[in-house]
Amino acid sequence: MARTMAEKVWEEHVVRRADGEPDLLYIDLHLVHEVTSPQAFEGLRLAGRGVRRPDLTVATEDHNVPTENILGPIADKVSRTQIETLRKNAAEFGVRLFPMGDIDQGIVHVVGPQMGLTQPGMTIVCGDSHTSTHGAFGALAFGIGTSQVEHVLATQTLPMTPFKTMAVTVNGTLKPGVTAKDIILAVIAEIGTGGGQGYVIEYRGEAIRALSMEARMTICNMSIEAGARAGMIAPDQTTFDYIEGRPHAPAGADFEAAVEHWKSLRSDEDAVFDKEVVLDADRLSPFVTWGTNPGQGVPLDAEVPDPAEMAGADDRAAAEKALSYMDLRAGTRMRDIRVDTVFLGSCTNGRIEDLRAAAEVIKGRKVADGVRMLVVPGSMRVKEQANEEGLGEVFKAAGAEWREAGCSMCLGMNPDQLKPGERSASTSNRNFEGRQGKGGRTHLVSPLVAAATAVRGTLSSPADL
Amino acid sequence: MEKFTVHTGRGAPLRASNVDTDQIIPAVYLKRVARTGFEDGLFAAWRANDPDFVLNREAYRGSDVLIAGPDFGTGSSREHAVWALQDYGFKAVLSPRFADIFRGNALKGGLLAVVLPQPVIERLWAIVEADPSAPVTVDLVEREVRAPGLTEPFEIDDYTRWRLMEGLDDIALTLRHTDDIDAYEETRRSWLPVTR
């Protein structure tokens, strides 16, 4: 029977199947960070259990970490305790950890791929919803809660009920200035924040094939914002080239064998998806959000929508509430919206290509008066590479703050936060109320729009400069 | 985990869609390493800033069945959202649609996340708004939600229902199959990465 890629990867990982029970799936890689793991390790301790496969587990410090003065003690006592708890747990249970100051430290979803730990056909989990990022390699990767973190630590498996499958096909070619971020924001606006609920999305089509690995990660990363647990892209030469030579990638004959296997993972020609969505890349333009969920987005060329013109009562009520929180009026041109802060970073857009794209726009220009621009690389390796390429200097010369690696203002668990009433253009993934700081207002944008917005002080694309 | 069979309590109408986990518990409360005591973080911003928010209204004090709009629990995978609801006293959440991870977390931890059609949710809102003391029953044995003048079935798979009714720990169940896990590991491809 013809199968989709997600079904193939699933089948390869079934440890046990029994009538009336969820499948028990084997997990190839478990990524751990400080926020969703302490209660899981404590659970192991209380039950007298160990970590079954520390060699398939790796931890990094990312959510809480300051992005300045990282070698001193963390000022926030509660954050410090959480980081220290991870260090203690990693040592006690034999899990490899990348602490602050380590060259391999960074956001968990940036670290896995850059080390070559993320490979096609694997099952990958993490106590973080943006684990969907790793699906860009053709891995089945999804976020889990702390109970499941404990379950994977103890057994290296998870009981799972099968997902449905959805194909999102993006045909055509992106226009210059339009990026992967614009594709995924348009997809979410199209299918809604609950549209992917219960599905694994497979992104396909000419426009997806043309994307780099990093751009593919941006797309898969935000699958969760469309309600899907996982997003996947079939591995191809772009994938193989990205993986080859990385520290944990197979080498020599193993690499040849791996590629042979990876090529077999793509969905069969006649595989049937439970749902199909088609988009035309030629018609996409830079996309930005106006509301308080990632589905509330419009093209940058558009205006703030009028709730009165929305069809569903729920949508209308949600839009009214969002506009009130965002302090926006229907009919305002998106380009006229002034921001206080620009945040470039996160597991969505904190990779080297994102920094290059933004630096290209901002080079020789200045961040507008009254605007603060925070540039936070996704990992210390990204920072190192950016410095080698002179990007750090470009950002600093423009008046931006060039920080250390971490999740930072994406969720404001460290000191990088919006103040009440402040407004940001952010390359992160969620514009929820208060996400970037209590009372803060977030517009999700691509790195190109972020950079142009920093220069003009209002939501802008590079074409406006 | 506590066993769940039948719970009768009072309903709190949360007339909002897309209640994300950042609203249920803001990230600042996630820095703790304990497993309990998250009730102060539950809906922290709405409780602090909106006197009309349902949990700020005297009539709904002590309510323990949350009746929410669609797409409840979207966003982050934080299980703290489930813990906060439980620590505050909620036993069940009813919604037309849940985010996958939230629903999974809830059912792991014994917070019953029940999917009901939007019209049923609207009738429940009307019932508990007309009479905040109206009894709302979530019956896992019969797979039914009941309130005065309303009896509605809901779906939940047999396995999850059994696990919740017995209060069973998933890890202990899986560890019964250690032989299967050992056997599977023998078949894994040799070139798969290790983190060392």
Side-chain angles (χ1 to χ4, degrees), chain A residues 12-13 15-16 20-22 26 28 35 39 49 52-58 64 76 78-79 82 85 94 96 117 119 122 127-129 143-148 150-151 155 157 193-194 197-198 229 248 258 261-262 293 314 321 411 413 430 432-433 435, chain B residues 16-18 20-23 27-28 30-35 38 46 70-71 74-80 83 97-101 105 108-109 118 157-159 169-172 174-175 177-178 180-182 184-185 188-196:
Chain A
E12 275 213 356
H13 289 84
V15 169
R16 181 175 182 275
E21 292 184 32
Y26 198 81
D28 291 320
V35 178
Q39 296 87 352
R49 293 169 179 148
R52 180 180 172 96
R53 293 296 300 265
D55 61 329
L56 303 184
T57 312
V58 69
N64 265 292
D76 180 333
V78 195
S79 287
Q82 196 167 59
T85 302
R96 188 174 178 195
L117 285 168
Q119 296 173 19
M122 291 172 68
D128 188 283
S129 58
I144 57 178
T146 297
S147 297
Q148 289 171 305
E150 185 179 339
H151 196 285
T155 71
T157 65
T193 54
Q197 198 257 328
R229 274 294 269 285
H248 292 268
H261 174 60
W262 296 342
N293 75 55
D314 266 340
K321 190 165 178 289
L411 83 169
M413 278 191 83
R430 288 183 180 141
F432 297 154
E433 288 181 24
R435 166 94 175 171
Chain B
S17 59
N18 267 293
D20 57 74
T21 51
D22 278 76
Q23 303 319 312
V28 64
L30 273 48
K31 298 180 182 184
R32 302 171 182 170
V33 296
R35 170 67 181 73
F38 289 97
W46 292 346
D71 297 316
T74 53
S76 147
S77 66
R78 58 188 70 164
E79 197 160 321
H80 311 66
W83 301 337
R97 190 165 56 198
F98 290 94
D100 281 332
I101 304 181
N105 287 343
K108 292 273 177 216
Q118 177 84 24
D157 67 272
D158 292 342
Y159 182 82
D169 164 11
D170 251 352
I171 299 178
T174 296
L175 287 174
H177 307 300
T178 302
D180 293 320
I181 304 173
D182 292 342
Y184 179 87
E185 283 180 336
R188 294 182 74 233
R189 291 166 209 275
S190 60
W191 42 259
L192 280 164
V194 292
T195 56
R196 296 281 159 77

Side-chain angles (χ1 to χ4, degrees), chain A residues 259-426:
Chain A
V259 168
E260 197 60 32
H261 174 60
W262 296 342
K263 283 180 175 169
S264 73
L265 296 172
R266 66 189 57 154
S267 293
D268 297 328
E269 287 288 326
D270 46 350
V272 179
F273 290 86
D274 298 304
K275 190 171 169 181
E276 300 214 35
V277 174
V278 180
L279 256 77
D280 184 357
D282 296 276
R283 300 177 62 163
L284 294 179
S285 59
F287 219 82
V288 293
T289 62
W290 52 267
T292 53
N293 75 55
Q296 292 175 322
V298 289
L300 176 63
D301 297 329
E303 295 162 356
V304 176
D306 187 349
E309 288 169 14
M310 294 182 181
D314 266 340
D315 284 349
R316 211 153 46 232
E320 277 165 6
K321 190 165 178 289
L323 290 188
S324 156
Y325 181 85
M326 294 293 289
D327 192 26
L328 290 175
R329 226 169 265 165
T332 303
R333 287 170 8 121
M334 293 305 294
R335 272 197 171 75
D336 290 341
I337 296 173
R338 187 161 288 284
V339 305
D340 308 288
T341 295
V342 172
F343 172 62
L344 174 60
S346 84
C347 60
T348 310
N349 281 129
R351 297 182 180 79
I352 190 69
E353 288 179 11
D354 301 312
L355 301 188
R356 281 183 196 138
E360 176 80 21
V361 173
I362 216 159
K363 192 171 186 173
R365 297 188 165 108
K366 288 282 179 197
V367 174
D369 282 345
V371 174
R372 163 173 70 142
M373 183 182 192
L374 219 58
V375 184
V376 182
S379 71
M380 292 309 284
R381 294 255 181 221
V382 169
K383 175 153 191 175
E384 183 185 57
Q385 189 172 350
N387 279 335
E388 278 168 16
E389 296 178 16
L391 308 184
E393 285 309 315
V394 170
F395 290 123
K396 284 191 277 185
E401 297 174 40
W402 177 230
R403 298 291 191 87
E404 312 292 341
C407 300
S408 180
M409 194 181 271
C410 175
L411 83 169
M413 278 191 83
N414 75 348
D416 307 337
Q417 297 181 15
L418 295 180
K419 293 193 190 73
E422 275 187 345
R423 186 182 297 280
S424 77
S426 176

Side-chain angles (χ1 to χ4, degrees), chain A residues 120 213 235-244 255 259 262-263 266:
Chain A
M213 281 318 295
D236 58 12
Q237 198 56 45
T238 304
T239 322
F240 311 147
D241 291 345
Y242 180 94
I243 295 171
E244 191 170 13
F255 186 76
V259 168
W262 296 342
K263 283 180 175 169
R266 66 189 57 154

